[in-house]
Amino acid sequence: MKIVISDCSWNSYDVEKKYLPADAEIVCAQVRSEEDILSICKDADAVLSEYGPYTRRVLEKLPKLKIISNSAMGVDNIDLAAAKELGIAVANVPDYCFFEVAEHAMALMISTLRNIVGYDRKVHEKVWDFAVAPKLYRIDGITLGMIGCGRIPQKVPVMAKGFGMNLIGYDPYLPREVADKFNIKMVSMEELAEQSSVILSHVPLMPATVKMVDRRFFEGLKKSPVFVNTSRGGTVDYDALCDALRDGRVRAAALDVVDSEPADFNSDIFKFDNVIFTPHAAFYSETALEEVRRRSAENVVHFFTPSTTRSAMS
């Protein structure tokens, strides 16, 4: 059996090799293009991927491939329809960094609402003056609007409640009982835009969510909120966000993702002093990293292990 680790962000493969079959041929690579995948994975039985572009064109030319295990929460780099048609299984690790992303989202929110980064920049410029900040307001009692209320955002309410925030959310797929459990008042996107003092966007990237946070949404803002994005850059219209920052409809933003990665630092979004960034790092902790790599490898092992053997092993 040939298993290809086609790409990863950490340039290390020790964890994966520890859990993959000892008798397998394991090839480690760092693909950048469809052509790279076709060259390196042409006779692979299984692939561990992260960002590699597994398009229909690629999948149709990998006749031995039986499973792609994505070492990530999402699978937007894989043509799922093509994989299904071709009988190629797709697996991911959907819950490995729930705590990290929720913690990161809260850190971005609080840092922005309290101007932590702005104050730090001024102090390093030897300016010791609380008044150099924009107007700050008490966090207790403000309304947090959550676009997307899946399992990661569901960890945010517990933290936000500790700061005294009121919670509203938009998620057409969230069961009412789950919203009630977390004390999230479900509203329309228009109502969320009107009522929120801080907005957290966290929705998966799929055809239905491309630029779902759009110009119409930003034009409907009423409270000049802080805008935080910890999902995917492609879910937000960044041109519209820039316009909202220019005219003050968005007071400030905190972004873990942008609409082009690796980041194009010539983009307009990087020209604003009232925007803080982290480099798509919300998922990261050593704990989460070990987990996603281990479980991605285990997905492959489980796929090739007969169910009777799995039952005996469990």
Side-chain angles (χ1 to χ4, degrees), residues 98-265:
F98 280 1
F99 288 100
E100 286 79 3
V101 176
E103 292 161 358
H104 200 89
M106 284 303 302
L108 289 174
M109 274 188 260
I110 301 304
S111 294
T112 306
L113 290 166
R114 292 300 308 162
N115 193 49
I116 301 301
V117 175
Y119 277 137
D120 177 72
R121 289 170 180 167
K122 287 298 182 182
V123 170
H124 278 89
E125 294 171 5
K126 298 182 172 58
V127 176
W128 190 265
D129 183 0
F130 81 92
V132 296
K135 291 181 179 180
L136 304 182
Y137 298 91
R138 183 176 295 166
I139 294 173
D140 183 80
I142 70 171
T143 296
L144 165 61
M146 298 190 299
I147 303 172
C149 301
R151 294 179 66 184
I152 286 177
Q154 285 170 22
K155 294 194 175 297
V156 171
V158 178
M159 304 177 193
K161 282 291 184 182
F163 285 91
M165 295 181 181
N166 301 313
L167 302 173
I168 62 174
Y170 170 78
D171 191 324
Y173 305 105
L174 188 73
R176 171 59 60 182
E177 58 270 21
V178 176
D180 292 342
K181 176 182 176 181
F182 292 100
N183 295 312
I184 305 170
K185 179 185 176 183
M186 303 308 293
V187 297
S188 67
M189 281 283 277
E190 292 78 12
E191 290 170 319
L192 189 144
E194 293 173 357
Q195 299 174 26
S196 301
S197 295
V198 57
I199 295 168
L200 170 63
S201 180
H202 196 98
V203 292
L205 181 61
M206 57 183 70
T209 63
V210 172
K211 294 188 178 181
M212 70 169 288
V213 186
D214 57 10
R215 187 169 298 278
R216 179 182 175 187
F217 175 79
F218 287 115
E219 289 175 349
L221 299 176
K222 300 297 184 184
K223 294 187 174 181
S224 189
V226 165
F227 180 79
V228 180
N229 188 9
T230 53
S231 54
R232 288 290 189 270
T235 62
V236 175
D237 184 335
Y238 271 66
D239 290 335
L241 173 58
C242 287
D243 288 342
L245 285 161
R246 287 188 189 97
D247 64 24
R249 278 176 290 126
V250 170
R251 178 175 13 137
L255 307 173
D256 185 54
V257 290
V258 290
D259 54 356
S260 176
E261 296 187 31
D264 176 3
F265 292 109

Side-chain angles (χ1 to χ4, degrees), residues 16-135:
E16 292 84 350
K17 288 180 177 179
K18 180 179 178 180
Y19 291 96
L20 290 171
D23 58 349
E25 176 190 357
I26 299 173
V27 176
C28 304
Q30 191 64 45
V31 302
R32 303 290 182 187
S33 65
E34 293 182 13
E35 285 66 30
D36 289 345
I37 295 175
L38 291 173
S39 174
I40 295 165
C41 303
K42 58 186 176 182
D43 55 351
D45 298 286
V47 163
L48 276 69
S49 179
E50 188 184 5
Y51 293 111
Y54 285 83
T55 62
R56 177 178 291 274
R57 170 178 174 263
V58 167
L59 296 177
E60 287 176 344
K61 295 182 179 181
L62 301 177
K64 290 188 64 180
L65 186 61
K66 301 173 182 66
I67 180 172
I68 304 170
S69 181
N70 233 33
S71 303
M73 295 181 65
V75 289
D76 46 277
N77 58 311
I78 302 168
D79 187 326
L80 296 180
K84 183 176 181 179
E85 290 176 21
L86 296 166
I88 300 169
V90 176
N92 62 336
V93 189
D95 56 356
Y96 78 95
C97 60
F98 280 1
F99 288 100
E100 286 79 3
V101 176
E103 292 161 358
H104 200 89
M106 284 303 302
L108 289 174
M109 274 188 260
I110 301 304
S111 294
T112 306
L113 290 166
R114 292 300 308 162
N115 193 49
I116 301 301
V117 175
Y119 277 137
D120 177 72
R121 289 170 180 167
K122 287 298 182 182
V123 170
H124 278 89
E125 294 171 5
K126 298 182 172 58
V127 176
W128 190 265
D129 183 0
F130 81 92
V132 296
K135 291 181 179 180

